[in-house]
Amino acid sequence: MAERIRLEKKIVTENDRLAAALAERFDEAGLLVVNLMSSPGAGKTSLLEQTARRLADDLRMAAVGGDLATDRDARRIIDAGMPCRQINTGRGCHLNGRQVAEAIEVYDLADLDILFIENVGNLVCPASFDLGEHRRVVVSSTPEGDDKPVKYPVAFRSADCVVLNKMDLVEATGFSPASFSGFVRDLGLDVPLLELSCKTGQGLGAWLDWLRTQREAVRCRAAPSPE
Amino acid sequence: MHEIALAHAVWRQVAAEMEKHSDRRLTQVRVVVGELSGADPESLEFALGLLVAESEWPHAAVHVRKEPVVLVCRTCGREYPMQEMRLRCPACGGADVEPVRGTQLRLESLEVE
């Protein structure tokens, strides 16, 4: 006799379990963890360099970064004044919870205000792999074209903040900021859209303010209530 | 993109469920893939088929159904289906919207005999 067993159960992957454990560790340590995602070359590393140069006196920050090969990005971030641990993924197209858990072993999380996770440059797979972060930032850039949000809806939908880099190249590339922001809103995203240029420094103030606000929000949530 | 890993996760949950029905034979697995879940239904069905073929129920059927996205506007309360990646509210134009369906990957049901 055939019988239908109704389950309606959300599929929990091994990475979901690892991410939940990481999220617990991050909450206990009380730091803000930001996962940066973008296509290759959008400017994740440049954004971290600029952040290190401008915020290192105020906040204790560190990073882990994923790339298929080389430690070039980590060296750039370290040179800018932020500790950074490179993860080489070989052929892996995204970072997973296990890689992040191993990479952060070198840090005392309780001594940090912000940990950045610079994901592998890819707007497809990283979106499906939670790393226990508090905030996701998608970085896009003007040479990529203004329709990126609607082409990669899953990544953009998961963003808590969208950064549009290389605003100094708007004229050269024929990029339409209005069209880009229209595509972001079409995705039903009510998140900050920060237009900036890591090269000229234009708009970086709003990014640093956003980081400070998120840091404060996570710290207030983590702080024990007064006796 | 990573449907083989997802298929293993689905299969672990199927196997755990079948342990509760060890006297029965699995004949069908039904999975739902939300349009915004990030998973591809066809690749997942193919990968699950490989796992089923090597299992103790090699003849069980695998059905993976794509679930369209349904959203609710937090501004005006309207519930509506997503049209071609336009998620913004068609009634008030608001961007503060919440998907209520179509984002999950879930094991819907099993059929046993």
Side-chain angles (χ1 to χ4, degrees):
Chain A
M1 183 68 183
E3 185 195 345
R4 165 82 52 95
I5 306 168
R6 287 200 73 80
L7 296 166
E8 300 293 354
K9 277 190 180 163
K10 187 176 182 294
I11 300 300
V12 181
T13 64
E14 181 58 22
N15 189 70
D16 291 335
R17 276 188 272 269
L18 293 166
L22 278 172
E24 206 169 303
R25 281 183 65 185
F26 295 154
D27 279 346
E28 272 171 26
L31 81 171
L32 167 69
V33 180
V34 178
N35 182 357
L36 290 166
M37 303 190 299
S38 82
S39 45
K44 296 181 298 299
T45 307
S46 300
L47 188 62
L48 290 185
E49 284 178 301
Q50 294 301 333
T51 306
R53 295 207 172 99
R54 288 154 202 260
L55 221 51
D57 290 341
D58 300 347
L59 294 171
R60 300 162 300 171
M61 301 177 292
V64 296
D67 266 312
L68 272 61
T70 81
D71 64 349
R72 295 174 64 89
D73 283 3
R75 281 190 280 137
R76 281 173 56 192
I77 293 165
I78 292 165
D79 286 347
M82 192 191 299
C84 184
R85 185 83 194 279
Q86 185 79 50
I87 303 168
N88 281 138
T89 57
R91 292 183 187 171
C93 49
H94 61 273
L95 288 178
N96 63 43
R98 191 181 309 281
Q99 290 163 327
V100 171
E102 282 171 15
I104 60 173
E105 283 306 320
V106 293
Y107 298 130
D108 184 351
L109 297 181
D111 273 345
L112 289 175
D113 294 308
I114 307 180
L115 173 73
F116 293 99
I117 303 171
E118 181 182 335
N119 223 308
V120 179
N122 174 358
L123 274 179
V124 184
C125 316
S128 299
F129 290 82
D130 185 1
L131 301 174
E133 70 271 15
H134 298 103
R135 300 287 186 272
R136 268 190 194 190
V137 175
V138 170
V139 182
S140 201
S141 65
T142 56
E144 297 172 61
D146 40 43
D147 55 359
K148 274 285 171 297
V150 77
K151 286 180 172 173
Y152 298 93
V154 176
F156 276 87
R157 271 292 309 171
S158 72
D160 298 298
C161 174
V162 175
V163 168
L164 178 59
N165 187 26
K166 307 189 193 179
M167 285 303 286
D168 53 307
L169 295 179
V170 162
E171 273 188 39
T173 56
F175 181 93
S176 162
S179 169
F180 182 84
S181 106
F183 281 126
V184 168
R185 301 303 167 211
D186 279 352
L187 285 180
L189 275 177
D190 196 20
V191 300
L193 167 52
L194 308 178
E195 299 180 351
L196 53 82
S197 165
C198 289
K199 191 172 178 190
T200 66
Q202 166 201 346
L204 277 170
W207 160 249
L208 302 177
D209 287 346
W210 182 82
L211 277 178
R212 286 194 192 95
T213 309
Q214 306 312 308
R215 160 70 194 135
E216 207 50 32
V218 167
R219 196 180 64 84
C220 291
R221 207 188 58 185
S225 52
E227 293 292 321
Chain B
M1 189 68 198
H2 299 281
E3 281 72 9
I4 291 177
L6 289 177
H8 278 286
V10 172
W11 192 249
R12 264 198 306 273
Q13 277 171 244
V14 171
E17 200 59 39
M18 286 307 290
E19 272 181 24
K20 300 179 205 162
H21 307 277
S22 53
D23 55 332
R24 315 292 288 270
R25 194 166 64 91
L26 180 71
T27 55
Q28 196 180 79
V29 178
R30 286 188 178 270
V31 175
V32 175
V33 176
E35 215 178 334
L36 277 181
S37 70
D40 176 60
E42 282 179 24
S43 309
L44 182 63
E45 189 166 287
F46 175 74
L48 260 177
L50 297 178
L51 295 178
V52 167
E54 288 181 359
S55 75
E56 54 185 297
W57 313 284
H59 301 296
V62 174
H63 295 289
V64 177
R65 177 170 67 84
K66 188 167 162 178
E67 184 177 59
V69 175
V70 175
L71 301 123
V72 164
C73 174
R74 287 208 187 97
T75 310
C76 74
R78 166 105 166 234
E79 192 173 305
Y80 56 96
M82 178 177 78
Q83 308 275 0
E84 290 188 357
M85 289 303 156
R86 267 189 70 91
L87 283 78
R88 187 196 287 239
C89 176
C92 75
D96 187 9
V97 304
E98 178 71 23
V100 288
R101 241 195 334 272
T103 58
Q104 269 189 353
L105 173 62
R106 62 180 198 276
L107 180 57
E108 186 178 42
S109 66
L110 301 178
E111 201 174 275
V112 296
E113 59 178 30

